[in-house]
Amino acid sequence: MSTATTTAMTTGTPAPAPHVADSHDMIRVHGARENNLKNVSIEIPKRRLTVFTGVSGSGKSSLVFATIAAESQRLINETYSAFVQGFMPTLARPDVDVLEGLTTAIIIDQERLGADPRSTVGTVTDANAMLRILFSRLGRPHIGPPGAFSFNIPSVRASGTITVERGAAKTVKQTFSRVGGMCPRCEGRGTVSDIDLHQLYDDSKPISEGAITVPGYKVDNVWTVRIFAESGFIDPDKPIREFTKRELHDFLYKEPVKVKVNGVNLTYEGLVPKVRKSFLSKDPDTLQPHIRAFVERAVTFATCPDCDGTRLSEAARSSRIKGVNIADACAMQISDLAEWVRSLDEPSAAPLLAALGQTLESFVEIGLGYLSLNRPSGTLSGGEAQRVKMIRHLGSSLTDVTYVFDEPTIGLHPHDIQRMNGLLLRLRDKGNTVLVVEHKPETIAIADHVVDLGPGAGTAGGTVCYEGDIAGLRAAGTITGRHLDDRAALKPSVRTPTGALEIRGANANNLRDVDVDIPLGVLVVVTGVAGSGKSSLVHGSLGRSAAAARAGVVTIDQGSIRGSRRSNPATYTGLLDPIRKAFAKANGVKPALFSANSEGACPSCNGAGVVYLDLGMMAGVSTTCEDCEGKRFQASVLEYRLGGRDISQVLAMPVAEAAEFFASGEARTPAAHAILTRLADVGLGYLTLGQPLTTLSGGERQRLKLAVHMAEKGGVYVLDEPTTGLHLADVEQLLGLLDRLVDSGRSVIVIEHHQAVMAHADWIIDLGPGAGHDGGRVVFEGTPADLVAARSTLTGQHLAQYVGA
């Protein structure tokens, strides 16, 4: 009971009216129409934990991220001066009538951290910055300022004369030096690369006949091959094996030089430096699959012999604190590093040690104590990346902030979900509004308020089906409410393996000489707490084994899909090619007319469908193109029909409708129908063919990749958490798809935390018992029923609880 109420009861005086400032206790959304939202109007309580549920594609992210969080960020940006705004990303106002009661939004999403080779866990969390200061103060011998311990800063020395214009100008001799920590040989990357020249060209052919075998080097391409042929340095019609030493050097290694080709000034450069710049300067994981395959064939990466992979110069490694140098500290498991920092008793650096210790403890608290600071940030999973972003907010003194999370339980074992729930509640209890997009019932259960969107996906979604508490959701009869208490049962019988993939002596990352046989011809689930070694075993050891190569392993991981707003499911899956050819054949014209990126594009918007107006320092505005009305094609192209539809109408079809359209009749196109069937099989029947890839959720992107890979002839499929982003109701469909893959003669290996997938497995390999150096061992191999009966591992205990055994 409040003090004011107590006073009123004892004195008989009326209680003072609540202060007007306390009345703003809701975030009000009216008329939200972003993406597939249909005039959504809701009120979200502040300083509470609100969970947004609904099937994949129902509009959760459109409401939370593209409307509420986007408008909050846009309004904050507008508080800066026009000059500062010029350096910030321009954000358009979301399509919504009214947004009231917004607070500062901090978005913690699943986007992977930058895959730059120089980016590590330590650099993205500022832990490295504090370590560098620590070693510059306490390290012995003292070698210089914090930059002397940074693998991104090279040492520089210079001398010469400068003119000082002070009074009478005079020339002064100056020397300059800067001590950096970068290893000079590998330039702070930790690895050195060498190129196999035989993978770059076929020396039996001349250049004019396609001797260069590098991807993208077509004979008629003026920017790549013709510049070699017409440079004058080499004979394009002579086989490369007959080149003189001079010609071979100019072909492979010549320094950049200006040449004239067909009257155009171009820069000629040897093939090897060209390949290094085009392919080797990028992280292999960010490359397209065919280019990555070329890089893996042509380039050998080895640990730098000078720095032994630490990225640091000899001087940086020579300075130590209590026998530990900065390379040793960054290589430690973070939980061990936190202990080491606590053991340092240096009053002169007490504030720094306290701040560094708090950051490292946050890693442990959030379940990432098994990482090390030198772990490349591009190797983190989506869930790990999201939790790394959380670290800077855990100790924050800010209150009345809106924290927005996108499925924070991704990549978490059931054992770790309770810890994540505790962190979300802590943020709320500090007086913050916490908005969470989530599918896991364990997290939905802790919500103060639930907003369920649907009822379906895509055009069938975009409306609010339920608002209220958990008890009301269960009784509401929505898809989420009906499936909230779903529990998969253990299979009464399991399949018999047809063989096995042997892994012997696996020691990637934290694995401890693991020997394991992975059964073939069945559904195998590899599980264990986050950091126990699952990905190291499956991707690191299995993926590189000779047995896996012979078996034809196809890996579908959580890596993001690269694509601009012009990319869509039709272009990504290769579906557009057979569709364009079908239109061209039916109308007797060129296929290029039916590409919005080629001859058929509307000239006003260049095939984008919208016109972008740059307003300088103000937010840019995009408007639907008046000429093509957003259809992206010239009016003349839209006169051509296939099965009574023009190309823009086909691209506006959902996958399910398009599958029927191309199955029979005049529009029958078997190649297109096969791709569309695969898209429907992975649960993407609601996506429209022309929907930009940039608008897809993480789960949708992974299933799109799965649909593409299903066309490959591999005998073994490796899936990395395929339930990511899947609604409870869709998990059953995924299990059916996995069964169909196995029944068709393929082997399926799944890294997964979802108990429904574990219960459905034929064989489980459980790693642990803990994370980091507490894991790396196989703690169980056998059927799900045996795992539940034994209850000998954390996974076994949670699975038994899940199935009610």
Side-chain angles (χ1 to χ4, degrees):
M1 193 177 293
S2 69
T3 308
T5 307
T6 308
T7 305
M9 290 174 64
T10 54
T11 63
T13 57
H19 196 288
V20 67
D22 295 329
S23 63
H24 302 286
D25 55 357
M26 290 282 183
I27 296 174
R28 294 180 174 84
V29 182
H30 294 287
R33 292 174 296 276
E34 197 67 27
N35 297 328
N36 68 330
L37 297 179
K38 297 173 181 173
N39 257 351
V40 167
S41 298
I42 58 167
E43 293 188 346
I44 302 165
K46 286 188 185 176
R47 294 174 286 281
R48 297 292 184 271
L49 173 60
T50 301
V51 174
F52 293 79
T53 61
V55 296
S56 226
S58 60
K60 303 182 299 296
S61 295
S62 298
L63 177 59
V64 178
F65 290 94
T67 303
I68 297 170
E71 179 65 355
S72 172
Q73 290 205 317
R74 189 184 72 85
L75 292 173
I76 289 167
N77 287 0
E78 285 189 353
T79 64
Y80 297 106
S81 68
F83 173 75
V84 174
Q85 287 183 52
F87 297 98
M88 303 172 80
T90 55
L91 302 170
R93 188 182 186 281
D95 189 3
V96 60
D97 293 334
V98 180
L99 272 174
E100 294 177 339
L102 292 178
T103 67
T104 303
I106 294 174
I107 299 173
I108 305 169
D109 57 20
Q110 294 172 36
E111 285 299 314
R112 294 291 184 98
L113 293 168
D116 187 283
R118 300 183 189 281
S119 178
T120 66
V121 169
T123 60
V124 298
T125 58
D126 297 335
N128 265 28
M130 289 187 273
L131 262 185
R132 291 197 297 268
I133 297 170
L134 185 68
F135 274 87
S136 70
R137 300 287 187 274
L138 305 181
R140 293 293 176 269
H142 176 75
I143 62 166
F149 296 91
S150 171
F151 53 75
N152 287 325
I153 299 178
S155 293
V156 177
R157 284 184 292 278
S159 62
T161 58
I162 60 172
T163 301
V164 180
E165 295 187 357
R166 186 186 298 158
K170 59 180 179 178
T171 303
V172 181
K173 190 171 184 180
Q174 286 277 7
T175 60
F176 166 78
S177 66
R178 180 185 67 191
V179 180
M182 178 186 287
C183 168
R185 177 156 182 183
C186 66
E187 297 183 356
R189 295 173 186 269
T191 57
V192 289
S193 59
D194 198 11
I195 293 181
D196 179 0
L197 297 179
H198 295 294
Q199 297 292 339
L200 303 187
Y201 58 86
D202 179 351
D203 66 359
S204 66
K205 293 181 180 177
I207 287 171
S208 60
E209 293 179 16
I212 301 176
T213 56
V214 178
Y217 279 62
K218 295 179 180 175
V219 174
D220 59 347
N221 192 320
V222 68
W223 303 111
T224 54
V225 177
R226 280 180 59 194
I227 193 170
F228 283 103
E230 300 177 27
S231 65
F233 296 119
I234 52 181
D235 183 349
D237 299 316
K238 182 164 68 173
I240 293 176
R241 65 171 58 148
E242 296 176 15
F243 278 8
T244 63
K245 280 189 178 179
R246 180 72 190 172
E247 281 180 316
L248 192 60
H249 176 271
D250 287 348
F251 171 53
L252 293 176
Y253 302 109
K254 191 168 184 68
E255 296 290 319
V257 60
K258 291 289 183 188
V259 296
K260 191 164 273 192
V261 176
N262 286 349
V264 179
N265 286 323
L266 299 173
T267 301
Y268 176 91
E269 188 176 22
L271 183 61
V272 169
K274 262 181 180 290
V275 168
R276 285 192 184 279
K277 285 179 186 174
S278 301
F279 304 125
L280 304 196
S281 61
K282 299 169 184 170
D283 188 277
D285 292 334
T286 65
L287 300 173
Q288 292 174 294
H290 71 287
I291 294 177
R292 189 189 314 159
F294 161 73
V295 170
E296 288 170 353
R297 284 196 317 271
V299 184
T300 55
F301 292 93
T303 301
C304 175
D306 287 9
C307 68
D308 198 25
T310 63
R311 307 163 178 251
L312 292 159
S313 65
E314 190 177 350
R317 287 178 281 128
S318 69
S319 181
R320 295 176 180 268
I321 302 173
K322 288 191 174 181
V324 173
N325 65 26
I326 192 168
D328 299 331
C330 289
M332 283 183 193
Q333 186 166 304
I334 289 175
S335 55
D336 295 339
L337 180 60
E339 267 184 52
W340 179 75
V341 168
R342 278 198 300 271
S343 72
L344 299 178
D345 184 18
E346 293 288 344
S348 62
L352 176 62
L353 288 169
L356 177 57
Q358 186 179 6
T359 298
L360 297 175
E361 288 296 342
S362 295
F363 273 99
V364 178
E365 185 181 4
I366 210 164
L368 294 177
Y370 60 87
L371 295 178
S372 58
L373 295 183
N374 64 1
R375 169 92 173 258
S377 60
T379 65
L380 298 180
S381 69
E384 286 171 333
Q386 188 173 25
R387 281 177 282 151
V388 164
K389 293 174 193 173
M390 280 183 73
I391 284 168
R392 66 181 64 227
H393 304 298
L394 289 182
S396 172
S397 301
L398 290 172
T399 60
D400 255 334
V401 169
T402 299
Y403 285 98
V404 185
F405 290 91
D406 189 5
E407 293 186 61
T409 59
I410 279 180
L412 287 184
H413 188 271
H415 174 70
D416 298 316
I417 290 178
Q418 294 161 324
R419 179 187 281 164
M420 175 59 71
N421 285 349
L423 293 170
L424 295 174
L425 293 171
R426 259 181 51 199
L427 285 173
R428 178 203 66 184
D429 293 346
K430 281 169 59 178
N432 298 305
T433 305
V434 182
L435 309 181
V436 182
V437 173
E438 188 53 85
H439 293 294
K440 292 278 175 68
E442 297 96 324
T443 300
I444 298 173
I446 65 165
D448 301 308
H449 189 71
V450 178
V451 177
D452 190 25
L453 283 101
T459 54
T463 59
V464 175
C465 299
Y466 172 78
E467 285 183 83
D469 59 14
I470 293 294
L473 177 64
R474 283 192 168 92
T478 66
I479 293 178
T480 306
R482 291 198 305 271
H483 289 273
L484 198 58
D485 295 315
D486 277 3
R487 295 293 181 268
L490 294 173
K491 288 162 73 171
S493 62
V494 295
R495 299 178 182 92
T496 304
T498 57
L501 278 177
E502 293 184 359
I503 296 178
R504 296 290 179 266
N507 53 16
N509 299 325
N510 67 329
L511 295 179
R512 303 186 180 187
D513 287 324
V514 169
D515 295 339
V516 66
D517 292 340
I518 299 180
L520 293 176
V522 297
L523 175 59
V524 178
V525 171
V526 180
T527 188
V529 297
S532 59
K534 303 181 298 297
S535 296
S536 300
L537 179 68
V538 175
H539 297 310
S541 301
L542 171 63
R544 293 184 174 89
S545 71
R550 288 193 299 272
V553 171
V554 175
T555 302
I556 302 142
D557 59 17
Q558 292 183 19
S560 59
I561 290 175
R562 303 275 158 187
S564 68
R565 56 179 171 243
R566 288 178 178 271
S567 304
N568 53 49
T571 59
Y572 182 76
T573 59
L575 172 64
L576 209 51
D577 287 336
I579 290 178
R580 282 199 296 251
K581 288 173 184 172
F583 265 95
K585 186 178 178 182
N587 294 280
V589 292
K590 291 189 297 184
L593 281 176
F594 303 98
S595 170
N597 298 327
S598 186
E599 293 181 25
C602 165
S604 300
C605 62
N606 293 323
V610 291
V611 176
Y612 294 91
L613 183 62
D614 184 4
L615 300 178
M617 293 180 189
M618 296 168 65
V621 175
S622 64
T623 55
T624 302
C625 174
E626 292 181 358
D627 287 358
C628 68
E629 297 177 344
K631 294 178 180 177
R632 304 176 64 193
F633 293 91
Q634 299 174 23
S636 58
V637 172
L638 298 180
E639 292 175 7
Y640 298 116
R641 303 266 166 170
L642 176 68
R645 306 283 186 102
D646 64 41
I647 184 68
S648 70
Q649 290 171 330
V650 168
L651 291 177
M653 284 183 183
V655 166
E657 184 186 338
E660 289 182 24
F661 179 72
F662 287 107
S664 58
E666 183 197 341
R668 184 175 179 274
T669 310
H673 183 255
I675 296 171
L676 289 162
T677 303
R678 289 196 293 271
L679 286 169
D681 280 347
V682 297
L684 295 178
Y686 60 87
L687 283 187
T688 57
L689 306 188
Q691 182 174 338
L693 288 187
T694 50
T695 65
L696 300 189
S697 68
E700 287 168 338
R701 292 177 194 177
Q702 190 181 15
R703 278 174 283 145
L704 188 60
K705 288 167 71 174
L706 175 57
V708 171
H709 285 296
M710 279 171 64
E712 298 180 15
K713 301 299 181 190
V716 181
Y717 279 29
V718 175
L719 308 182
D720 193 352
E721 294 188 59
T723 58
T724 296
L726 274 189
H727 186 266
L728 298 160
D730 296 326
V731 172
E732 194 174 334
Q733 183 179 357
L734 174 73
L735 295 177
L737 173 63
L738 298 179
D739 277 341
R740 288 198 299 277
L741 286 172
V742 175
D743 293 339
S744 69
R746 293 183 171 98
S747 304
V748 179
I749 302 167
V750 182
I751 299 173
E752 190 53 82
H753 293 294
H754 201 296
Q755 295 102 316
V757 182
M758 294 181 208
H760 201 72
D762 297 307
W763 193 258
I764 287 184
I765 298 171
D766 192 17
L767 279 91
H773 57 49
D774 296 325
R777 295 192 296 270
V778 174
V779 292
F780 176 83
E781 291 179 79
T783 64
D786 291 340
L787 178 62
V788 167
R791 286 181 172 81
S792 56
T793 68
L794 282 170
T795 305
Q797 293 162 20
H798 282 277
L799 184 57
Q801 186 181 345
Y802 176 83
V803 298

